[in-house]
Amino acid sequence: MNQPDRMISRVPDALVVALEALARRAGGAILTVKHKGIQSHAKSDGSPVTAADLASNDIILKGLTELLPHVPVISEEGEDGPKVLANPDGDFLLIDPLDGTREFVSGDPDYTVNIALLTGRRPAVAVVYMPETGVSWVGDCRMASRGAWRLDPQGTWHPIKTREAEDSLSVLASRSHPDSATEAFLKKIHVRELVRRGSSLKFCLIAEGQGDLYPRFGPTMEWDTAAGDGVLTAAGGAMLDLNGQAFHYGKIQEECRNCGFMAMGDPSLAATLF
């Protein structure tokens, strides 16, 4: 499956760098809470929340007020949810201040900070930061500055891109949210390797060429996927719904609930999946 060359030589622009720095500061707050001891309680939907989620959320909201003061923000920890979004076709932000809270509470390192700027119902700029490793993945899907990078703890930017798929696939799947539909799907395709990871890291591993496909049939919210989707798309991949159509955000009537999706490194895989 041939893909056009997507070598990237540029470095991210000022907005991307600023959003990455904001995610990094939020990740520092998460680690501070972790070192003091983690306590969690259940939200109204049954999902866990900790002081680290809230500390990260506060830092991100304050930073976004300074960086993008007129852009509506939808956060997993926000009380207003999609009610803040009057025009889903315009610019808005989706943030998950601590994606993978179950992993965080259990001591697993697979949790992230997710920030995504959306334009036209698709990610325009995206940041995923992993506090436990100090690594960030960023994606810029804007035509004039398109690119994807991995920022290591030493501050070096590394361009990343997806890889071509082979006949057998390396598949990423959720560690904390297995479901029967995904298991049934995996029996229908040629799986060379199955790797179960938490949070939005699955998108990022595919974006940097360490996997081929992330199928998801179980429920997610828009803030769970937007940043990872943006990184993957900027690196040359694609995220499609289960009908093989473009994946859109700003689903106000559904309260920002996602449908199922296929996130793939090689977009030509779609011809064999749908």
Side-chain angles (χ1 to χ4, degrees), residues 169-174 182-183 186 191-196 215:
L169 303 175
S170 175
V171 178
L172 281 295
S174 175
T182 300
E183 300 306 316
L186 293 176
V191 179
R192 177 177 72 255
E193 177 187 30
L194 177 62
V195 179
R196 297 190 183 275

Side-chain angles (χ1 to χ4, degrees), residues 205-253:
L205 293 174
I206 297 174
E208 64 179 20
Q210 294 192 42
D212 300 303
L213 180 66
Y214 168 29
R216 185 65 180 252
F217 294 85
T220 58
M221 302 297 288
E222 292 188 1
W223 48 75
D224 294 321
T225 63
D229 181 357
V231 172
L232 176 62
T233 300
M239 181 167 163
L240 305 174
D241 67 24
L242 296 181
N243 294 314
Q245 302 301 308
F247 199 89
H248 289 139
Y249 295 86
K251 299 181 287 292
I252 300 175
Q253 293 183 345

Side-chain angles (χ1 to χ4, degrees), residues 20-63:
E20 190 283 330
L22 179 57
R24 188 172 291 269
R25 289 202 302 273
I30 291 172
L31 292 176
T32 297
V33 173
K34 177 186 176 183
H35 294 153
K36 292 179 179 179
I38 302 171
Q39 294 182 341
S40 68
H41 65 271
K43 294 189 288 188
S44 59
D45 63 0
S47 63
V49 65
T50 71
D53 296 75
L54 303 178
S56 175
N57 190 63
D58 289 345
I59 288 173
I60 294 171
L61 291 181
K62 181 179 179 181

Side-chain angles (χ1 to χ4, degrees), residues 155-176:
T156 303
W157 293 96
H158 303 275
I160 59 173
K161 64 177 182 177
T162 58
R163 69 186 185 192
E164 297 180 7
E166 300 178 351
D167 291 337
S168 59
L169 303 175
S170 175
V171 178
L172 281 295
S174 175
R175 175 182 292 162
S176 299

